[in-house]
Amino acid sequence: MAVGFLQRERIVAPPGWSRWLIPPAALSIHLAIGQAYAWSVFKPPLEAGLEISGVLSALPFTLGIIMLGLSAAVFGTKVDANGPRWAMLTASACFVTGFLISAVGLYLGQYWLVIVGYGFVGGIGLGIGYISPVSTLIKWFPDRPGLSTGIAIMGFGGGALIASPLTQQLLSTFGATGDNPSVPGIGNTFLVMGLIYAVFMSVGWLLIRVPPEGWAPAGWNASAEKERPLVSSAHVSASNSIKTPQFWLLWVVLCFNVTAGIGILERAAPIYRDFFPDATTPQALAAAAAGFVAILSLANAIGRILWSSTSDFLGRKNMYRIYLGVGALLYLLLALAQNGNKVVFLIACMVILSFYGAGFATVPAYLRDLFGTYQVGAIHGRLLTAWSTAGVLGPLIVNAIADAQIAAGVQGPGRYTMSFYIMIGLLVVGFVCNELIRPVDPKFHEPDRSGAAQAGAAA
Amino acid sequence: MSTSDSPQQWGALQWAGTVLLWLWVLVPFGYGLYQLLIKIPALFGT
């Protein structure tokens, strides 16, 4: 019974099924797992309640992001083989179990259970959940792959928007705020959030459907699509994809585009305070810095759907030319103009952050163009190791340089000038790598194209 | 073979289901977005 329920044959869409039911199913997974970006809300009560350091309180999140990259890479092929319902249910089970283990750990005063539960078990849920709807969306929306994956991946960014106020509210309700927070109260917050996410995510695995074999949207001309530059009609397996230069060029493109965005995102509030310290009161300055973080989060989320959708018309390679080329010019503008004009500063930062989010959202469609739909989920999973690398690289560069500048007594925007020039260099390298991307050599194509296409259509 | 992805072909049940599902994800997202937007005016000193 359980195996049958998860089988791919059980979720082939019947006649009359609308493809517009697929994005909400995908969003119910991504909006939930995007909670990971709101982990920082848990840090103050954990540090005060358990008397642990900032490094230790960050460990569940750090381990979770590492597990995201690893599990996406390791389980990607299984996700493509078993289908999206299996993947979504597995992701939900891992993610929710992570919360429940953490709650038990806090009731028992055993912090290592939070690290193992949220970081390790929950992190596996993050990785499988992140890639679970991608190939299905691409197959339902062959005419608009950028739009469909943009919606889902915007959901991952939006997950933190929901989780952050929800967590604050629950912590407050259970007396887990202030200087002496209740540790069982933090546990209650984990428990309730786990239960909420279990219900919320169930819509995803209950409603997800794959298109019937040979299905295509009405009026869509597949042959016209394949005539576009870089759009392949062939299919490449996940194991073959990593033997191609295209995969590694795209790996560098994604890694450096993410690194450049994290450069601002990681230190957004201190950057704002250093650029524009002239507020009337410290409270007003803190509120303005929080507003700056909020506006960047908004730009990040909007960029995911706006630019990714635009890529369906302009082409993936052209979009990355914009992300990387215009991004480098905007960083140059920030380095040269410094704090001369606040409006220019805000617009430049917002556009840079919109390109950061768009880099994530556009890459599944770029992979589809290059490698076909056969194992695009698994290939995407392997590519996400670039994200994990950038997650270490970006903060390392910006924090190390800013700390050194502060130690040297540098004041104001000058603390970040060197970081900005490094980001320009990375973006230029990424731009060159994008220029070097050509169609995949036919020797990497699956020998039986029709068979591969059918397997892909069924996945 | 095709499914009815065009809204003109939908029945009342499909419309209701689709609207309900989109509300399932858009209502929480809207709540999060609202909480974010109310922080932005402070950036401009209001």
Side-chain angles (χ1 to χ4, degrees):
Chain A
M1 161 66 185
V3 173
F5 178 72
L6 297 177
Q7 274 177 345
R8 189 190 296 129
E9 291 73 17
R10 285 284 295 270
I11 55 167
V12 175
W17 191 268
S18 166
R19 65 173 176 166
W20 289 102
L21 295 174
I22 305 303
L27 275 171
S28 70
I29 300 296
H30 269 226
L31 281 172
I33 62 174
Q35 178 279 338
Y37 275 144
W39 173 257
S40 59
V41 182
F42 279 116
K43 279 170 65 69
L46 285 173
E47 287 167 23
L50 297 170
E51 296 180 348
I52 57 174
S53 67
V55 173
L56 207 54
S57 70
L59 201 52
F61 170 76
T62 309
L63 182 59
I65 295 298
I66 291 170
M67 289 310 298
L68 186 158
L70 287 178
S71 61
V74 170
F75 293 112
T77 312
K78 208 166 175 57
V79 168
D80 271 346
N82 290 358
R85 174 173 280 174
W86 174 88
M88 287 180 168
L89 187 58
T90 306
S92 303
C94 290
F95 188 66
V96 171
T97 303
F99 274 90
L100 301 184
I101 293 173
S102 301
V104 172
L106 289 160
Y107 294 143
L108 300 176
Q110 300 291 321
Y111 183 62
W112 65 272
L113 279 173
V114 180
I115 297 170
V116 171
Y118 186 90
F120 186 81
V121 180
I124 294 172
L126 293 182
I128 296 175
Y130 192 89
I131 59 172
S132 64
V134 169
S135 69
T136 305
L137 282 165
I138 286 175
K139 283 158 198 160
W140 273 111
F141 291 85
D143 49 339
R144 301 293 302 277
L147 169 71
S148 62
T149 56
I151 289 172
I153 291 171
M154 183 189 74
F156 191 79
L161 304 187
I162 301 167
S164 184
L166 174 67
T167 310
Q168 282 169 341
Q169 186 64 50
L170 288 172
L171 287 169
S172 176
T173 302
F174 293 123
T177 52
D179 294 333
N180 189 23
S182 157
V183 175
I186 309 173
N188 287 339
T189 303
F190 273 97
L191 177 65
V192 172
M193 288 185 76
L195 296 176
I196 289 172
Y197 284 129
V199 174
F200 189 74
M201 295 171 88
S202 64
V203 165
W205 52 263
L206 282 171
L207 278 174
I208 194 71
R209 293 289 184 279
V210 293
E213 194 178 307
W215 177 86
W220 180 60
N221 184 356
S223 55
E225 178 73 13
K226 285 167 187 167
E227 285 168 10
R228 296 177 66 174
L230 278 181
V231 178
S232 172
S233 59
H235 300 273
V236 179
S237 68
S239 56
N240 270 342
S241 71
I242 57 172
K243 297 173 189 164
T244 66
Q246 286 80 3
F247 177 88
W248 294 106
L249 288 167
L250 203 50
W251 194 97
V252 175
V253 165
L254 181 65
C255 182
F256 287 179
N257 188 60
V258 174
T259 304
I262 287 179
I264 285 186
L265 202 57
E266 169 69 11
R267 286 184 72 101
I271 285 175
Y272 183 84
R273 284 196 291 265
D274 286 330
F275 271 70
F276 302 101
D278 303 324
T280 49
T281 64
Q283 289 80 8
L285 183 57
F292 181 59
V293 174
I295 212 168
L296 293 187
S297 302
L298 191 63
N300 178 8
I302 291 172
R304 288 172 191 240
I305 191 161
L306 175 68
W307 300 126
S308 185
S309 306
T310 310
S311 77
D312 289 333
F313 303 102
L314 295 185
R316 258 54 83 171
K317 190 167 185 173
N318 285 334
M319 290 314 295
Y320 277 91
R321 282 178 173 138
I322 294 170
Y323 304 157
L324 299 157
V326 177
L329 291 174
L330 288 170
Y331 261 117
L332 185 64
L333 180 67
L334 286 179
L336 296 176
Q338 300 214 334
N339 56 358
N341 187 312
K342 190 172 174 178
V343 173
V344 170
F345 170 84
L346 289 175
I347 291 172
C349 290
M350 285 179 70
V351 177
I352 287 172
L353 260 292
S354 76
F355 290 162
Y356 162 81
F360 284 117
T362 314
V363 88
Y366 209 162
L367 290 172
R368 197 278 318 237
D369 291 355
L370 289 168
F371 301 109
T373 56
Y374 173 39
Q375 288 191 326
V376 68
I379 299 169
H380 186 214
R382 284 159 171 76
L383 196 76
L384 290 181
T385 51
W387 178 7
S388 301
T389 307
V392 176
L393 204 62
L396 200 70
I397 292 171
V398 175
N399 288 326
I401 293 173
D403 290 347
Q405 298 289 312
I406 291 166
V410 177
Q411 297 291 323
R415 290 176 174 175
Y416 304 99
T417 307
M418 176 68 79
S419 296
F420 290 166
Y421 281 119
I422 290 174
M423 297 305 167
I424 293 167
L426 292 177
L427 288 168
V428 169
V429 172
F431 187 90
V432 172
C433 287
N434 185 49
E435 289 304 307
L436 293 175
I437 292 176
R438 300 279 183 272
V440 175
D441 190 318
K443 73 179 179 184
F444 294 110
H445 293 169
E446 287 300 294
D448 181 2
R449 284 186 180 190
S450 57
Q454 283 171 13
Chain B
M1 180 177 186
S2 70
T3 57
S4 57
D5 56 274
S6 164
Q8 291 89 334
Q9 298 171 303
W10 292 359
L13 196 64
Q14 275 187 306
W15 269 111
T18 305
V19 169
L20 205 64
L21 271 169
W22 277 99
L23 286 176
W24 179 260
V25 292
L26 287 180
V27 167
F29 184 72
Y31 160 73
L33 197 60
Y34 169 73
Q35 294 290 332
L36 181 85
L37 290 174
I38 57 177
K39 292 179 186 166
I40 292 176
L43 185 57
F44 305 98
T46 55

